[in-house]
Short mmCIF file of all heavy atoms in Angstrom, two decimals:
data_model
loop_
_atom_site.label_atom_id
_atom_site.label_comp_id
_atom_site.label_asym_id
_atom_site.label_seq_id
_atom_site.Cartn_x
_atom_site.Cartn_y
_atom_site.Cartn_z
N THR A 1 185.79 176.31 147.06
CA THR A 1 186.41 175.48 146.04
C THR A 1 185.44 174.38 145.67
O THR A 1 184.95 173.66 146.54
CB THR A 1 187.73 174.85 146.55
OG1 THR A 1 188.63 175.87 146.94
CG2 THR A 1 188.36 173.99 145.46
N VAL A 2 185.14 174.24 144.38
CA VAL A 2 184.19 173.24 143.89
C VAL A 2 184.98 172.02 143.40
O VAL A 2 185.91 172.15 142.61
CB VAL A 2 183.33 173.80 142.74
CG1 VAL A 2 182.34 172.76 142.25
CG2 VAL A 2 182.58 175.06 143.21
N ILE A 3 184.59 170.82 143.88
CA ILE A 3 185.28 169.58 143.50
C ILE A 3 184.33 168.69 142.72
O ILE A 3 183.18 168.48 143.13
CB ILE A 3 185.78 168.82 144.75
CG1 ILE A 3 186.66 169.71 145.62
CG2 ILE A 3 186.54 167.56 144.33
CD1 ILE A 3 187.10 169.04 146.92
N VAL A 4 184.81 168.15 141.59
CA VAL A 4 184.02 167.22 140.78
C VAL A 4 184.85 166.00 140.41
O VAL A 4 186.08 166.05 140.38
CB VAL A 4 183.49 167.90 139.49
CG1 VAL A 4 182.50 168.99 139.82
CG2 VAL A 4 184.64 168.47 138.65
N GLN A 5 184.17 164.90 140.16
CA GLN A 5 184.81 163.68 139.65
C GLN A 5 183.73 162.84 138.98
O GLN A 5 182.58 162.83 139.44
CB GLN A 5 185.52 162.90 140.76
CG GLN A 5 186.44 161.82 140.19
CD GLN A 5 187.29 161.10 141.24
OE1 GLN A 5 187.55 159.92 141.14
NE2 GLN A 5 187.73 161.82 142.27
N ALA A 6 184.08 162.12 137.93
CA ALA A 6 183.08 161.47 137.07
C ALA A 6 183.17 159.95 137.04
O ALA A 6 182.94 159.32 136.02
CB ALA A 6 183.17 162.03 135.64
N TYR A 7 183.52 159.35 138.20
CA TYR A 7 183.45 157.90 138.36
C TYR A 7 184.53 157.17 137.57
O TYR A 7 185.71 157.39 137.81
CB TYR A 7 182.04 157.41 138.03
CG TYR A 7 181.66 156.05 138.57
CD1 TYR A 7 182.19 155.57 139.76
CD2 TYR A 7 180.74 155.25 137.90
CE1 TYR A 7 181.81 154.33 140.26
CE2 TYR A 7 180.36 154.01 138.40
CZ TYR A 7 180.89 153.55 139.58
OH TYR A 7 180.51 152.33 140.06
N GLN A 8 184.18 156.34 136.59
CA GLN A 8 185.16 155.44 136.00
C GLN A 8 184.68 154.85 134.67
O GLN A 8 183.51 154.91 134.31
CB GLN A 8 185.42 154.28 136.96
CG GLN A 8 184.17 153.44 137.21
CD GLN A 8 184.36 152.34 138.23
OE1 GLN A 8 185.38 152.28 138.91
NE2 GLN A 8 183.40 151.45 138.36
N TYR A 9 185.65 154.23 133.96
CA TYR A 9 185.41 153.36 132.81
C TYR A 9 184.58 154.00 131.70
O TYR A 9 183.85 153.31 130.99
CB TYR A 9 184.74 152.05 133.26
CG TYR A 9 185.48 151.31 134.35
CD1 TYR A 9 184.82 150.45 135.22
CD2 TYR A 9 186.85 151.48 134.52
CE1 TYR A 9 185.50 149.76 136.22
CE2 TYR A 9 187.55 150.81 135.52
CZ TYR A 9 186.86 149.95 136.37
OH TYR A 9 187.53 149.29 137.36
N ALA A 10 184.69 155.32 131.54
CA ALA A 10 183.99 156.05 130.47
C ALA A 10 182.48 155.88 130.55
O ALA A 10 181.78 155.97 129.54
CB ALA A 10 184.51 155.62 129.09
N GLU A 11 181.96 155.68 131.75
CA GLU A 11 180.52 155.55 131.92
C GLU A 11 179.81 156.89 131.95
O GLU A 11 178.64 157.00 131.59
CB GLU A 11 180.20 154.80 133.22
CG GLU A 11 180.64 153.36 133.24
CD GLU A 11 180.35 152.70 134.57
OE1 GLU A 11 179.48 153.20 135.30
OE2 GLU A 11 181.00 151.70 134.89
N ASN A 12 180.52 157.92 132.43
CA ASN A 12 179.90 159.23 132.61
C ASN A 12 180.79 160.34 132.06
O ASN A 12 182.02 160.27 132.12
CB ASN A 12 179.67 159.52 134.09
CG ASN A 12 178.72 158.53 134.74
OD1 ASN A 12 177.52 158.60 134.56
ND2 ASN A 12 179.28 157.59 135.48
N LEU A 13 180.14 161.37 131.55
CA LEU A 13 180.80 162.62 131.24
C LEU A 13 180.34 163.63 132.28
O LEU A 13 179.13 163.85 132.45
CB LEU A 13 180.43 163.11 129.84
CG LEU A 13 180.96 164.51 129.46
CD1 LEU A 13 182.48 164.50 129.32
CD2 LEU A 13 180.29 165.00 128.19
N GLY A 14 181.28 164.23 133.00
CA GLY A 14 180.92 165.25 133.97
C GLY A 14 180.72 166.59 133.29
O GLY A 14 181.44 166.93 132.35
N GLU A 15 179.74 167.35 133.78
CA GLU A 15 179.51 168.71 133.29
C GLU A 15 179.36 169.63 134.49
O GLU A 15 178.55 169.38 135.38
CB GLU A 15 178.26 168.79 132.41
CG GLU A 15 178.00 170.20 131.88
CD GLU A 15 176.70 170.31 131.10
OE1 GLU A 15 176.01 169.29 130.94
OE2 GLU A 15 176.38 171.42 130.65
N LEU A 16 180.15 170.69 134.52
CA LEU A 16 180.10 171.67 135.60
C LEU A 16 179.96 173.06 135.00
O LEU A 16 180.76 173.47 134.16
CB LEU A 16 181.38 171.61 136.44
CG LEU A 16 181.53 172.71 137.51
CD1 LEU A 16 180.49 172.55 138.61
CD2 LEU A 16 182.94 172.71 138.09
N ASP A 17 178.93 173.79 135.43
CA ASP A 17 178.77 175.20 135.10
C ASP A 17 179.10 175.99 136.36
O ASP A 17 178.45 175.81 137.40
CB ASP A 17 177.33 175.50 134.66
CG ASP A 17 176.95 174.74 133.41
OD1 ASP A 17 177.73 174.75 132.45
OD2 ASP A 17 175.86 174.13 133.40
N VAL A 18 180.12 176.83 136.27
CA VAL A 18 180.56 177.58 137.44
C VAL A 18 180.57 179.07 137.11
O VAL A 18 180.92 179.47 135.99
CB VAL A 18 181.95 177.09 137.91
CG1 VAL A 18 183.00 177.28 136.83
CG2 VAL A 18 182.38 177.76 139.19
N GLU A 19 180.17 179.89 138.07
CA GLU A 19 180.06 181.33 137.87
C GLU A 19 181.03 182.06 138.79
O GLU A 19 181.11 181.76 139.98
CB GLU A 19 178.62 181.79 138.13
CG GLU A 19 178.35 183.23 137.78
CD GLU A 19 176.87 183.59 137.91
OE1 GLU A 19 176.06 182.68 138.17
OE2 GLU A 19 176.55 184.79 137.75
N PHE A 20 181.76 183.03 138.23
CA PHE A 20 182.74 183.82 138.97
C PHE A 20 182.29 185.28 139.02
O PHE A 20 181.73 185.80 138.05
CB PHE A 20 184.11 183.77 138.29
CG PHE A 20 184.71 182.40 138.19
CD1 PHE A 20 184.43 181.56 137.11
CD2 PHE A 20 185.58 181.93 139.16
CE1 PHE A 20 184.99 180.30 137.00
CE2 PHE A 20 186.16 180.67 139.07
CZ PHE A 20 185.86 179.86 137.99
N ASN A 21 182.60 185.96 140.14
CA ASN A 21 182.40 187.41 140.16
C ASN A 21 183.64 188.10 139.62
O ASN A 21 184.60 187.45 139.19
CB ASN A 21 182.04 187.89 141.58
CG ASN A 21 183.17 187.65 142.59
OD1 ASN A 21 184.32 187.41 142.22
ND2 ASN A 21 182.83 187.71 143.87
N ASP A 22 183.65 189.44 139.66
CA ASP A 22 184.77 190.17 139.05
C ASP A 22 186.05 190.07 139.86
O ASP A 22 187.10 190.52 139.42
CB ASP A 22 184.39 191.64 138.81
CG ASP A 22 184.02 192.35 140.11
OD1 ASP A 22 184.00 191.70 141.18
OD2 ASP A 22 183.73 193.56 140.04
N GLN A 23 185.97 189.45 141.06
CA GLN A 23 187.17 189.20 141.86
C GLN A 23 187.74 187.80 141.63
O GLN A 23 188.71 187.41 142.27
CB GLN A 23 186.83 189.38 143.35
CG GLN A 23 186.32 190.76 143.72
CD GLN A 23 187.32 191.85 143.42
OE1 GLN A 23 188.50 191.73 143.80
NE2 GLN A 23 186.89 192.90 142.73
N GLY A 24 187.11 187.03 140.74
CA GLY A 24 187.57 185.67 140.47
C GLY A 24 187.09 184.66 141.49
O GLY A 24 187.60 183.53 141.52
N GLN A 25 186.11 185.03 142.30
CA GLN A 25 185.58 184.10 143.30
C GLN A 25 184.37 183.37 142.74
O GLN A 25 183.58 183.93 141.98
CB GLN A 25 185.17 184.88 144.56
CG GLN A 25 186.31 185.61 145.23
CD GLN A 25 185.81 186.60 146.26
OE1 GLN A 25 184.82 187.30 146.03
NE2 GLN A 25 186.50 186.69 147.39
N VAL A 26 184.23 182.10 143.14
CA VAL A 26 183.08 181.31 142.73
C VAL A 26 181.85 181.81 143.48
O VAL A 26 181.83 181.85 144.71
CB VAL A 26 183.30 179.82 143.01
CG1 VAL A 26 182.03 179.02 142.69
CG2 VAL A 26 184.47 179.27 142.21
N VAL A 27 180.81 182.19 142.73
CA VAL A 27 179.58 182.67 143.35
C VAL A 27 178.39 181.79 143.02
O VAL A 27 177.29 182.01 143.53
CB VAL A 27 179.29 184.14 142.93
CG1 VAL A 27 180.34 185.07 143.49
CG2 VAL A 27 179.21 184.26 141.41
N GLY A 28 178.59 180.80 142.18
CA GLY A 28 177.51 179.87 141.86
C GLY A 28 178.02 178.70 141.06
O GLY A 28 179.08 178.79 140.43
N TYR A 29 177.31 177.58 141.12
CA TYR A 29 177.73 176.41 140.35
C TYR A 29 176.53 175.51 140.12
O TYR A 29 175.53 175.57 140.84
CB TYR A 29 178.82 175.63 141.09
CG TYR A 29 178.29 174.90 142.30
CD1 TYR A 29 177.85 173.58 142.21
CD2 TYR A 29 178.18 175.55 143.53
CE1 TYR A 29 177.34 172.92 143.31
CE2 TYR A 29 177.67 174.89 144.63
CZ TYR A 29 177.25 173.57 144.52
OH TYR A 29 176.73 172.93 145.61
N GLU A 30 176.65 174.66 139.13
CA GLU A 30 175.69 173.59 138.88
C GLU A 30 176.42 172.46 138.19
O GLU A 30 177.14 172.68 137.21
CB GLU A 30 174.52 174.07 138.02
CG GLU A 30 173.44 173.01 137.82
CD GLU A 30 172.22 173.56 137.10
OE1 GLU A 30 172.25 174.73 136.69
OE2 GLU A 30 171.25 172.78 136.92
N GLY A 31 176.30 171.25 138.71
CA GLY A 31 177.03 170.12 138.14
C GLY A 31 176.18 168.88 138.01
O GLY A 31 175.20 168.71 138.74
N ARG A 32 176.55 168.02 137.09
CA ARG A 32 175.84 166.76 136.90
C ARG A 32 176.75 165.76 136.20
O ARG A 32 177.80 166.13 135.66
CB ARG A 32 174.58 166.97 136.06
CG ARG A 32 174.87 167.45 134.63
CD ARG A 32 173.60 167.49 133.79
NE ARG A 32 173.86 167.97 132.44
CZ ARG A 32 173.23 167.51 131.37
NH1 ARG A 32 172.33 166.56 131.49
NH2 ARG A 32 173.49 168.01 130.17
N LEU A 33 176.36 164.49 136.25
CA LEU A 33 177.01 163.44 135.48
C LEU A 33 176.07 162.99 134.38
O LEU A 33 174.89 162.71 134.63
CB LEU A 33 177.38 162.26 136.37
CG LEU A 33 178.39 162.52 137.49
CD1 LEU A 33 178.70 161.22 138.23
CD2 LEU A 33 179.67 163.12 136.94
N ILE A 34 176.58 162.92 133.18
CA ILE A 34 175.80 162.47 132.02
C ILE A 34 176.11 161.00 131.78
O ILE A 34 177.27 160.62 131.57
CB ILE A 34 176.15 163.30 130.77
CG1 ILE A 34 175.86 164.78 131.02
CG2 ILE A 34 175.38 162.80 129.56
CD1 ILE A 34 176.41 165.70 129.95
#
């Protein structure tokens, strides 16, 4: 399970790229705060 949060006060926009296999399981991710 991948968890993200983007801090506060409209300072950051969170971006998460997540990859699923054909069983609906997470097999990869990449995240950042802008």
Side-chain angles (χ1 to χ4, degrees):
T1 301
V2 180
I3 305 175
V4 294
Q5 193 174 144
Y7 200 30
Q8 63 184 9
Y9 306 154
E11 294 178 22
N12 298 283
L13 174 68
E15 180 184 359
L16 173 67
D17 298 313
V18 61
E19 188 174 354
F20 299 87
N21 63 17
D22 59 358
Q23 300 299 311
Q25 299 166 319
V26 175
V27 294
Y29 71 92
E30 184 174 4
R32 64 173 179 144
L33 297 183
I34 301 169

